[in-house]
Amino acid sequence: MKRFAELYAAIDGTTRTNEKIAALAAYLAEAPPEDRLWTVALFSGRRPRRTITATTLREWAAERAGLPLWLLEESYAVAGDLAETIALILPPPTRESDHSLTHWITHVRHLATLDEVTRKVGIFAAWDSLALPERFLLTKLLTGGFRVGISQTLTIRALSQATGQPVTDLTHRLMGNWTPDKTTWDMLIDAKTQTDLSQPYPFYLAYALEDPTDLGDPAQWFAERKWDGIRGQFILRDQTHHVWSRGEDLITNRFPELAQLADYLPQGTVIDGEILAFDANRPLPFADLQKRIGRKTVPKKLLTEAPVILMAYDLLENHGQDIRPLPFAIRRERLNTLCAAIPPSAPLRLSPAVPFTTTVDLARERSASRDLGAEGLMLKRLDSPYLTGRKRGDWWKWKVDPLTVDAVMIYAQAGHGRRANLYTDYTFAVRDGNALVPFTKAYSGLTDAEFTEITNWVRKNTLQRFGPVRQVPPELVFEIAFEGIRASPRHKSGIALRFPRMARWRHDKPSSEINTLDDLRQLLKIQG
Amino acid sequence: MADVLTFTDRGIYCPAGEFHIDPWCPVARALLTHGHSDHARPGMDSYLSTDIAAPVIRYRLGDIRIDTIRYGEVRQIGGAQISFHPAGHVPGSAQIRVEVAGQVWVVSGDYKTEADGLSTPFEPVRCHVFISECTFGLPMFRWPAQDALRDQINRWWAANAADGRFSLLGSYALGKAQRLLTLLDPTIGPILTHGAIEATNAVLRAQGITLPPTEQVVQGTDLKSRTGALILCPPGAPATPWANRFGSSSTAYASGWMTLRGIRRRRGADMGFVLSDHADWEGLNSAIRATGAERVYVTHGYTATYRRWLEEHGYDARIVSTAFEGEAADPTESA
Ligand SMILES: [Zn+2]
Ligand SMILES: [Zn+2]
């Protein structure tokens, strides 16, 4: 665990990509195989389940440290990280140990099966035998909240350096629902054949297009709508189908209506598309799809209220053959053939091509996006292979401009992680007559310098404190950008925004000139 | 009975002796706990500090009228009896004891309880009322042993030197920088300094404080022949163009705030050393216990939290209202 803690500190302590990769590659080359396997699992989000609720853990940590719970809470508000807070306030360890990462993960999972009294004894003993960095990581594992500052892409690059295998192969191998219990290092990384029939392909992601003239000759490009649902892969192999989200969640059971596609598609088919709640000829608002995302099983009523389809973008596997290297135009042609053989009632549609000849046509089509329930346009080079990850050049997304309102900050709260101790999470209000109505929170979009300046202002201008939240005078005005708006009876304002963030700080605007609740209702009528 | 000290918009005031302690607006008579800029401000008609603190104060404030006093020496100012006692914060730093009609109040200034081998070590002073800083008044702050820290810093420097890189170490010019100097192992390589730090070094050396040899980085310094050196500089310097001349380098900061991962990351340093000239959580608690005070005023830092903690332990604890607080609890450690 000491070695793993050093690795974690090395990755956490630098912003330089190459140093992160070098640290991880060195670790993967020398750690015992089961620790390597767990490291790759943890770094790709395959965490052991939570052993204990955060509430109980706080109580136990306060008890062990001999401190009142409120003081732990105050400390947590400053550090912004519960595991770190706990690791810091506990008394120094009285014993030394250097068990492996796998040992501690096994221990943590074993604790989960025990009764509460025994579990507590086990956790106290673990805390007592670990130095600060390892104790922090163990506590992260206990809460099920382990995260690390290295992306999957960089993890795979390090893995490639350590093993000498190509990045694309490794990316594919690490997809899917493997866990360290179900596989070994040899099977996952070294074995010649893949046996997991559910395994998806890595998604190809597009960068945002700033200027359409960057495309060059329009004749080289294909355009379609960028639909606003869940990007996913539909996989049919050996009579069994699987649906994966882009976030690598297996979501087959959440969308049972897609099962019937298995009746029409040939074995060995993998389609990349967008899962959309769909009504006749039009996508339903994202909010309708959202109702289905959180559920493992779907009640009948919801199946009729918010039925889904797969809007097909691309074909990755055809008759069991990986066709990602073929040009997009050919893959699209084959996808077209597959879709044409399917009855119109089945929940699969070919994402329609958007015809155009000039970039002016494209700009016009883009501005029609919201009316069609789309987020913008996708532009794909006709000869592009299906690449892995986010790559520049062959595919672009060209989203519509966000919606914006001007609002005033009324509450501020300290951020987490890198932004602990800075006030970065704000609640905003619009006017309703003489009253201010809170309508959204936002915590990104400003520079560190702006956050620092606002933090100083918040400290000097606090009207009232509610735990970690500070009420401030309604003076600072911000332009809030967002992607969508919907009615929400749960909120005081009656509306909820999608992806709100601060577009800029309006130093130039007094709070008397911010938008009103009526402005928002008007937007809801048009956009909702 | 009237309070020995009151809190005014100019700072802490003693009506019986008609003087202020660490005032931030011009007053007739100022007693200073130490020379950091949030305590020693220009514009007072006259100053009083310890003899050890005076040279730096004079250097920083220029042409001032300053009288000095030794630790433990008792003086009468009007109706108040005053004395200065070691605070262990930086060389010459003091807690100021004020006694009026048998009532004893002590102003801690900034203090730390751990002996650093440079400043005169902290001595608890019995009193009825204690005015304490609580910059690090949360239980997360627990300073590592100085020996462990010395190893950590020297290992970092040695590793950089072996890679042919400079080591840029950011710290405050007065106190922390000299404390770091006493921790560094000069066999690893030369120790260079930023001008702001070298100036303070010179003042301290002139008054007889022994520091290892250092060399100021100037326009013509031949850095090639000093590859692998350690450069002590103010905390802001590594992010300025001044630091470009070092090319390949590793940056570290030494501060109590380096305890917190979020702040370490925000600073963007390669390393953070947990080294503070303030008391940690245990230091605050033990210092306050040792005063025997029943009433404690807290200032600087997590005052509301720390006040509540003291109250739960039976103290009459109060906050020196924020309007009189010289600085916010900011990640840039109060100096
Ligand atoms: Zn201070
Ligand atoms: Zn100070």
Side-chain angles (χ1 to χ4, degrees):
Chain A
M1 188 80 154
K2 280 206 172 79
R3 183 68 187 83
F4 182 71
E6 281 167 21
L7 167 68
Y8 184 89
I11 290 173
D12 197 46
T14 180
T15 49
R16 294 182 201 117
T17 309
N18 284 339
E19 287 179 12
K20 287 179 195 262
I21 295 175
L24 180 54
Y27 177 86
L28 291 174
E30 71 182 35
E34 64 274 15
D35 277 11
R36 275 185 245 160
L37 185 62
W38 264 113
T39 300
V40 173
L42 288 173
F43 284 24
S44 56
R46 291 168 175 83
R47 306 182 272 269
R49 291 243 209 123
R50 184 176 75 186
T51 308
I52 175 181
T53 65
T55 314
T56 310
L57 199 65
R58 281 171 215 220
E59 285 164 9
W60 289 359
E63 180 189 327
R64 185 74 192 85
L67 295 170
L69 188 59
W70 68 264
L71 187 52
L72 181 146
E73 299 290 356
E74 292 284 342
S75 301
Y76 174 35
V78 170
D81 184 296
L82 184 61
E84 183 187 2
T85 308
I86 290 175
L88 287 168
I89 64 164
L90 290 171
T94 59
R95 287 174 288 154
E96 272 213 48
S97 75
D98 193 18
H99 295 298
S100 67
L101 169 67
T102 308
H103 165 93
W104 283 114
I105 290 175
T106 311
H107 183 63
V108 161
R109 296 162 91 208
H110 175 63
L111 286 174
T113 66
L114 302 176
D115 67 84
E116 193 155 299
V117 178
T118 326
R119 203 185 306 172
K120 186 165 161 185
V121 171
I123 289 176
F124 281 16
W127 278 338
D128 196 40
S129 61
L130 291 171
L132 188 68
E134 296 121 82
R135 186 191 267 175
F136 163 68
L137 293 173
L138 179 97
T139 310
K140 281 272 179 206
L141 291 170
L142 286 170
T143 60
F146 181 89
R147 271 186 191 78
V148 67
I150 185 166
S151 65
Q152 173 121 352
T153 314
L154 297 188
T155 301
I156 289 169
R157 270 165 63 187
L159 194 55
S160 169
Q161 271 183 24
T163 62
Q165 297 200 47
V167 164
T168 44
D169 284 9
L170 288 167
T171 311
H172 194 191
R173 279 169 184 269
L174 292 189
M175 299 284 294
N177 58 351
W178 64 273
T179 68
D181 295 325
K182 288 194 264 174
T183 188
T184 63
W185 180 262
D186 285 342
M187 278 163 62
L188 184 71
I189 303 299
D190 295 335
K192 285 277 173 289
T193 52
Q194 288 286 312
T195 47
D196 182 1
L197 290 173
S198 77
Q199 198 172 38
Y201 292 100
F203 285 84
Y204 182 13
L205 308 172
Y207 271 99
L209 182 71
E210 307 284 341
D211 179 357
T213 59
D214 290 350
L215 296 174
D217 177 10
Q220 306 295 318
W221 292 86
F222 170 86
E224 64 189 321
R225 302 280 165 202
K226 182 175 190 319
W227 300 103
D228 186 12
I230 302 169
R231 178 95 179 269
Q233 264 178 51
F234 180 92
I235 295 171
L236 177 64
R237 292 180 187 129
D238 206 9
Q239 316 297 331
T240 310
H241 84 284
H242 295 277
V243 183
W244 288 94
S245 75
R246 207 195 93 189
E248 278 186 55
D249 287 318
L250 194 53
I251 49 175
T252 316
N253 296 330
R254 301 194 185 186
F255 303 106
E257 53 264 73
L258 299 182
Q260 55 172 302
L261 297 179
D263 299 340
Y264 306 116
L265 294 166
Q267 300 305 312
T269 297
V270 177
I271 294 172
D272 174 8
E274 195 90 15
I275 297 166
L276 295 171
F278 210 78
D279 176 26
N281 274 315
R282 205 192 133 81
L284 294 165
F286 188 79
D288 288 310
L289 184 62
Q290 208 152 29
K291 290 180 202 149
R292 299 199 42 180
I293 293 174
R295 296 176 180 266
K296 286 247 155 80
T297 55
V298 195
K300 273 230 170 71
K301 186 163 168 288
L302 207 51
L303 275 177
T304 48
E305 268 177 25
V308 302
I309 62 146
L310 181 68
M311 186 67 93
Y313 291 139
D314 210 329
L315 186 64
L316 312 186
E317 188 174 307
N318 193 203
H319 299 294
Q321 196 197 351
D322 176 1
I323 61 166
R324 291 176 297 161
L326 297 180
F328 174 75
I330 294 178
R331 299 199 308 274
R332 166 95 189 172
E333 193 49 49
R334 294 204 193 175
L335 180 65
N336 202 347
T337 311
L338 279 188
C339 292
I342 284 180
S345 62
L348 178 73
R349 290 180 182 235
L350 180 67
S351 170
V354 174
F356 70 97
T357 41
T358 65
T359 53
V360 178
D361 300 338
L362 281 178
R364 196 183 50 241
E365 289 293 348
R366 169 176 175 258
S367 58
S369 297
R370 278 221 174 82
D371 295 338
L372 296 166
E375 284 186 292
L377 292 178
M378 281 298 303
L379 298 158
K380 299 177 177 174
R381 192 182 271 286
L382 287 164
D383 61 1
S384 61
Y386 190 92
L387 300 172
T388 294
R390 208 176 282 286
K391 295 275 156 53
R392 219 170 265 283
D394 282 349
W395 285 18
W396 296 101
K397 58 179 177 192
W398 196 23
K399 297 207 328 185
V400 284
D401 293 329
L403 301 162
T404 62
V405 290
D406 291 330
V408 69
M409 182 213 286
I410 52 171
Y411 298 108
Q413 187 172 354
H416 287 242
R418 205 171 70 83
R419 286 169 167 170
N421 232 14
L422 274 187
Y423 285 85
T424 58
D425 302 8
Y426 310 140
T427 301
F428 294 97
V430 284
R431 274 188 194 285
D432 186 22
N434 286 326
L436 288 171
V437 184
F439 71 105
T440 192
K441 286 186 173 193
Y443 39 84
S444 64
L446 300 183
T447 63
D448 278 5
E450 285 173 317
F451 278 130
T452 306
E453 192 181 340
I454 294 168
T455 295
N456 289 332
W457 183 86
V458 168
R459 287 201 176 112
K460 286 197 203 98
N461 291 279
T462 299
L463 299 175
Q464 224 182 325
R465 297 189 194 202
F466 309 95
V469 178
R470 292 181 178 218
Q471 188 185 5
V472 294
E475 289 172 13
L476 305 191
V477 175
F478 295 83
E479 180 179 312
I480 308 296
F482 50 97
E483 299 302 322
I485 183 168
R486 70 185 162 90
S488 166
R490 282 195 305 117
H491 292 87
K492 201 171 164 187
S493 61
I495 59 121
L497 304 185
R498 186 140 183 257
F499 296 137
R501 70 261 180 197
M502 290 167 265
R504 65 198 162 114
W505 185 358
R506 300 288 312 253
H507 294 275
D508 56 319
K509 233 183 195 187
S511 60
S512 55
E513 289 175 22
I514 60 172
N515 282 100
T516 64
L517 189 57
D518 274 344
D519 296 339
L520 284 174
R521 291 193 184 120
Q522 201 59 34
L523 265 181
L524 181 64
K525 224 185 269 168
I526 304 165
Q527 308 291 353
Chain B
M1 187 185 301
D3 284 346
V4 171
L5 298 173
T6 59
F7 303 99
T8 74
D9 54 7
R10 285 160 190 255
I12 300 173
Y13 180 63
C14 174
E18 293 182 11
F19 59 82
H20 287 80
I21 297 177
D22 293 350
W24 48 84
C25 296
V27 299
R29 180 174 231 168
L31 275 56
L32 299 191
T33 59
H34 64 291
H36 278 149
S37 57
D38 55 325
H39 299 260
R41 295 172 199 255
M44 315 298 159
D45 294 346
S46 75
Y47 293 84
L48 178 65
S49 77
T50 65
D51 48 349
I52 308 174
V56 167
I57 294 173
R58 230 181 250 120
Y59 164 72
R60 292 190 161 193
L61 300 185
D63 189 19
I64 54 168
R65 252 183 64 205
I66 185 163
D67 191 10
T68 63
I69 185 168
R70 287 189 316 278
Y71 284 129
E73 182 188 334
V74 179
R75 278 195 204 167
Q76 192 75 30
I77 303 181
Q81 202 179 64
I82 61 112
S83 53
F84 285 49
H85 303 267
H89 172 59
V90 297
S93 68
Q95 312 173 67
I96 299 179
R97 181 186 187 276
V98 184
E99 181 174 347
V100 177
Q103 276 290 308
V104 180
W105 288 45
V106 170
V107 178
S108 77
D110 294 337
Y111 67 96
K112 80 166 171 295
T113 49
E114 184 190 20
D116 62 12
L118 186 70
S119 319
T120 314
F122 176 86
E123 280 174 23
V125 182
R126 303 286 294 180
C127 57
H128 299 104
V129 179
F130 188 49
I131 299 166
S132 177
E133 65 131 324
C134 63
T135 308
F136 290 105
L138 287 175
M140 296 185 291
F141 298 108
R142 181 189 295 129
W143 307 150
Q146 187 150 301
D147 284 344
L149 209 62
R150 182 202 315 267
D151 287 352
Q152 209 192 350
I153 297 171
N154 285 317
R155 250 185 293 136
W156 166 74
W157 180 18
N160 294 334
D163 289 350
R165 290 198 291 182
F166 287 103
S167 300
L168 278 171
L169 182 51
S171 89
Y172 284 91
L174 171 58
K176 184 102 47 93
Q178 291 75 30
R179 190 173 163 200
L180 284 167
L181 281 176
T182 65
L183 296 178
L184 293 173
D185 175 0
T187 62
I188 297 172
I191 302 171
L192 307 183
T193 51
H194 183 280
I197 285 173
E198 194 53 39
T200 307
N201 286 350
V203 174
L204 293 176
R205 281 193 186 109
Q207 70 185 92
I209 294 174
T210 320
L211 298 172
T214 52
E215 182 194 347
Q216 187 181 337
V217 176
V218 292
Q219 209 45 255
T221 305
D222 173 22
L223 290 171
K224 269 233 172 66
S225 66
R226 290 166 181 78
T227 302
L230 182 135
I231 300 108
L232 262 184
C233 57
T240 64
W242 173 84
N244 292 346
R245 68 187 77 192
F246 301 110
S248 167
S249 63
S250 174
T251 306
Y253 296 100
S255 158
W257 294 107
M258 292 296 132
T259 303
L260 297 181
R261 181 169 158 257
I263 294 175
R264 280 199 305 272
R265 286 157 58 89
R266 187 157 79 239
R267 274 299 190 83
D270 301 307
M271 273 292 234
F273 301 116
V274 179
L275 180 77
S276 177
D277 289 333
H278 293 265
D280 65 0
W281 173 254
E282 257 325 296
L284 291 172
N285 290 332
S286 66
I288 289 171
R289 254 194 319 268
T291 62
E294 281 165 12
R295 196 197 305 173
V296 178
Y297 287 91
V298 292
T299 171
H300 284 52
Y302 300 102
T303 48
T305 308
Y306 197 59
R307 184 197 63 84
R308 182 171 169 194
W309 164 258
L310 289 175
E311 211 163 45
E312 287 189 359
H313 283 74
Y315 291 93
D316 170 6
R318 308 179 191 185
I319 296 173
V320 177
S321 129
T322 46
F324 310 120
E325 195 178 327
E327 65 204 301
D330 207 67
T332 51
E333 182 170 345
S334 73

